Amino acid sequence: MLGINKKTLNSDLSGIDDEQLFTQLTFEEGAVIEGGGGILFIDQLQAINAGADTFGDDDTYITVNGSKLWGPGGFSTGQTSGVNRGLGVDFPASIALFDEDGGFNGDDDYLGGFTVNGPTNGTAIARVSGSGSTYDVYYRVF
């Protein structure tokens, strides 16, 4: 006939042990390999300088990929507040902070943001700045 060398699947795999075929992955490693996402959890915010709102405290809120996750919460300089909110995200995920102006003073003020590209090894801190304010965002991705 065509002279094709036929091999069975079993004969091709007979020299490979199970450890070469499979390995155990953590949830974080699996999410990176899949290219999908993970769970973003924001633990807390700390106002290093709350200066965006000229009428008092910043009315800070957090968005993830454009959707509000938390807030607004009133912040003065030096104040820390627990957020304790999380959600599933695809990577990359965009996190942004805003000062809510309630429509009286125009658009909400952008306080800065950052992008998450994959799991963190424990808690990470991102410093964001904008519109006269600076915040530290404490977060985890798994």
Side-chain angles (χ1 to χ4, degrees):
M1 299 246 325
L2 298 174
I4 297 174
N5 184 6
K6 296 181 181 178
K7 291 186 176 181
T8 65
L9 181 59
N10 288 341
S11 66
D12 288 341
L13 299 177
S14 62
I16 300 173
D17 64 21
D18 289 343
E19 290 178 18
Q20 289 175 299
L21 291 175
F22 302 102
T23 186
Q24 289 185 337
L25 298 176
T26 65
F27 177 79
E28 295 88 350
E29 292 166 331
V32 170
I33 290 172
E34 288 178 8
I39 297 173
L40 167 69
F41 191 84
I42 299 180
D43 294 299
Q44 65 182 17
L45 288 179
Q46 181 179 14
I48 305 304
N49 180 36
D53 201 332
T54 56
F55 300 106
D57 293 346
D58 284 355
D59 301 310
T60 307
Y61 66 92
I62 303 169
T63 65
V64 177
N65 294 329
S67 296
K68 189 183 282 188
L69 174 69
W70 178 88
F75 279 88
S76 57
T77 297
Q79 183 177 350
T80 299
S81 181
V83 174
N84 299 316
R85 296 277 172 91
L87 77 159
V89 295
D90 288 328
F91 301 128
S94 176
I95 293 85
L97 276 63
F98 293 90
D99 171 54
E100 184 176 76
D101 287 336
F104 297 113
N105 299 319
D107 293 335
D108 293 350
D109 301 312
Y110 178 69
L111 304 179
F114 61 100
T115 301
V116 172
N117 292 307
T120 59
N121 186 14
T123 301
I125 303 170
R127 181 162 284 187
V128 300
S129 295
S131 301
S133 292
T134 302
Y135 285 82
D136 282 346
V137 181
Y138 294 77
Y139 70 99
R140 296 173 279 156
V141 181
F142 45 96

